[in-house]
Coordinates of all heavy atoms in Angstrom, one line a residue:
M181 N -9.8 -159.6 104.5 CA -10.4 -158.7 105.6 C -9.7 -157.4 105.8 O -10.2 -156.7 106.6 CB -10.4 -159.6 106.9 CG -11.3 -160.8 106.8 SD -11.2 -161.8 108.1 CE -11.9 -160.7 109.5
K182 N -8.7 -157.2 105.1 CA -7.9 -155.9 105.1 C -7.3 -155.6 106.5 O -7.3 -154.6 107.1 CB -8.7 -154.7 104.7 CG -9.2 -154.7 103.3 CD -9.9 -153.5 102.8 CE -10.4 -153.6 101.4 NZ -9.4 -153.8 100.4
L183 N -6.7 -156.7 107.1 CA -6.1 -156.8 108.5 C -4.6 -156.7 108.3 O -4.0 -157.0 107.3 CB -6.4 -158.2 109.2 CG -7.9 -158.4 109.3 CD1 -8.0 -159.8 110.0 CD2 -8.6 -157.4 110.2
N184 N -4.0 -155.9 109.4 CA -2.6 -156.0 109.5 C -2.1 -157.3 110.0 O -2.5 -157.6 111.2 CB -2.1 -154.8 110.3 CG -2.4 -153.6 109.6 OD1 -2.1 -153.3 108.5 ND2 -2.8 -152.5 110.4
Y185 N -1.4 -158.1 109.3 CA -1.3 -159.5 109.8 C 0.3 -159.8 109.9 O 1.1 -159.3 109.2 CB -2.0 -160.5 108.9 CG -1.5 -160.6 107.4 CD1 -0.4 -161.6 107.2 CD2 -1.9 -159.9 106.5 CE1 0.1 -161.7 106.0 CE2 -1.5 -160.0 105.2 CZ -0.5 -160.9 104.9 OH 0.0 -161.0 103.6
Q186 N 0.6 -160.8 110.7 CA 1.8 -161.5 110.9 C 1.6 -162.9 110.7 O 0.8 -163.5 111.2 CB 2.3 -161.2 112.3 CG 2.5 -159.7 112.7 CD 2.9 -159.7 114.2 OE1 3.7 -160.5 114.7 NE2 2.4 -158.7 114.8
L187 N 2.6 -163.5 109.8 CA 2.6 -164.9 109.6 C 3.4 -165.5 110.6 O 4.6 -165.2 111.0 CB 3.1 -165.2 108.2 CG 2.3 -164.9 107.0 CD1 3.1 -165.1 105.7 CD2 1.1 -165.6 107.0
K188 N 2.9 -166.6 111.4 CA 3.6 -167.2 112.4 C 3.4 -168.8 112.2 O 2.3 -169.3 111.6 CB 3.0 -166.9 113.7 CG 3.3 -165.4 114.2 CD 2.6 -165.2 115.4 CE 3.0 -163.7 115.9 NZ 4.3 -163.6 116.6
T189 N 4.4 -169.5 112.5 CA 4.5 -170.9 112.5 C 4.4 -171.5 113.8 O 5.2 -171.1 114.7 CB 5.5 -171.5 111.7 OG1 5.6 -171.0 110.4 CG2 5.5 -172.9 111.6
V190 N 3.5 -172.5 114.2 CA 3.5 -173.1 115.5 C 4.1 -174.5 115.4 O 4.1 -175.2 114.4 CB 2.1 -173.3 115.9 CG1 1.2 -174.2 115.0 CG2 1.9 -173.8 117.4
E191 N 4.9 -174.8 116.5 CA 5.7 -176.0 116.7 C 5.1 -176.6 117.9 O 5.2 -176.0 119.0 CB 7.1 -175.9 116.7 CG 7.7 -175.2 115.5 CD 9.2 -174.9 115.7 OE1 9.9 -175.5 116.4 OE2 9.7 -173.9 114.9
L192 N 4.8 -177.9 117.9 CA 4.2 -178.6 119.1 C 5.3 -179.6 119.7 O 6.2 -180.1 118.9 CB 3.0 -179.4 118.7 CG 1.8 -178.6 118.3 CD1 0.6 -179.6 117.9 CD2 1.4 -177.6 119.2
R193 N 5.1 -179.7 121.0 CA 6.0 -180.8 121.6 C 5.4 -182.2 121.6 O 4.2 -182.3 121.3 CB 6.3 -180.3 123.1 CG 7.0 -179.1 123.2 CD 7.3 -178.9 124.7 NE 7.8 -177.5 125.0 CZ 9.2 -177.2 124.9 NH1 10.0 -178.2 124.5 NH2 9.6 -176.0 125.1
F194 N 6.2 -183.2 121.9 CA 5.6 -184.6 122.1 C 4.9 -184.6 123.4 O 5.2 -183.9 124.4 CB 6.7 -185.6 122.1 CG 6.3 -187.0 122.5 CD1 6.0 -187.8 121.4 CD2 6.3 -187.4 123.7 CE1 5.6 -189.1 121.8 CE2 5.9 -188.7 124.1 CZ 5.5 -189.5 122.9
P195 N 3.6 -185.2 123.4 CA 3.0 -186.0 122.4 C 1.9 -185.2 121.6 O 1.3 -185.7 120.7 CB 2.2 -187.0 123.3 CG 1.9 -186.4 124.5 CD 3.0 -185.4 124.8
W196 N 1.8 -183.8 122.0 CA 0.8 -183.1 121.3 C 0.9 -183.1 119.7 O -0.1 -183.2 119.1 CB 0.8 -181.7 121.8 CG 0.3 -181.5 123.2 CD1 -1.1 -181.2 123.6 CD2 1.0 -181.5 124.3 NE1 -1.1 -181.2 124.9 CE2 0.1 -181.4 125.4 CE3 2.3 -181.8 124.7 CZ2 0.5 -181.3 126.8 CZ3 2.8 -181.8 125.9 CH2 1.9 -181.5 127.0
K197 N 2.1 -183.1 119.2 CA 2.2 -183.0 117.8 C 1.8 -184.4 117.0 O 1.5 -184.3 115.8 CB 3.7 -182.8 117.4 CG 4.7 -183.9 117.8 CD 6.1 -183.4 117.4 CE 7.2 -184.4 117.6 NZ 8.5 -184.0 117.2
Y198 N 1.5 -185.3 117.8 CA 1.0 -186.6 117.2 C -0.5 -186.8 117.4 O -1.0 -187.7 116.8 CB 1.8 -187.8 117.7 CG 3.3 -187.7 117.3 CD1 4.3 -187.6 118.3 CD2 3.7 -187.8 116.0 CE1 5.6 -187.6 117.9 CE2 5.1 -187.8 115.6 CZ 6.0 -187.6 116.5 OH 7.3 -187.6 116.2
L199 N -1.1 -186.1 118.3 CA -2.4 -186.4 118.7 C -3.5 -185.3 118.2 O -3.1 -184.2 118.1 CB -2.5 -186.4 120.3 CG -1.7 -187.5 120.9 CD1 -1.8 -187.3 122.5 CD2 -2.4 -188.9 120.7
P200 N -4.7 -185.8 117.9 CA -5.7 -184.8 117.5 C -6.1 -183.9 118.6 O -5.8 -184.3 119.7 CB -6.9 -185.7 117.1 CG -6.3 -187.1 117.0 CD -5.1 -187.1 117.8
P201 N -6.5 -182.7 118.4 CA -6.9 -181.7 119.3 C -8.0 -182.4 120.3 O -8.9 -183.2 119.7 CB -7.4 -180.5 118.6 CG -6.7 -180.6 117.3 CD -6.6 -182.0 117.0
G202 N -7.9 -182.0 121.5 CA -9.0 -182.6 122.4 C -8.6 -183.7 123.3 O -9.3 -184.0 124.3

Side-chain angles (χ1 to χ4, degrees):
M181 292 176 68
K182 301 187 182 298
L183 302 173
N184 292 319
Y185 67 90
Q186 301 173 39
L187 289 174
K188 292 176 177 281
T189 302
V190 64
E191 300 174 27
L192 301 181
R193 297 185 188 276
F194 176 87
W196 286 269
K197 66 179 180 179
Y198 296 113
L199 294 175

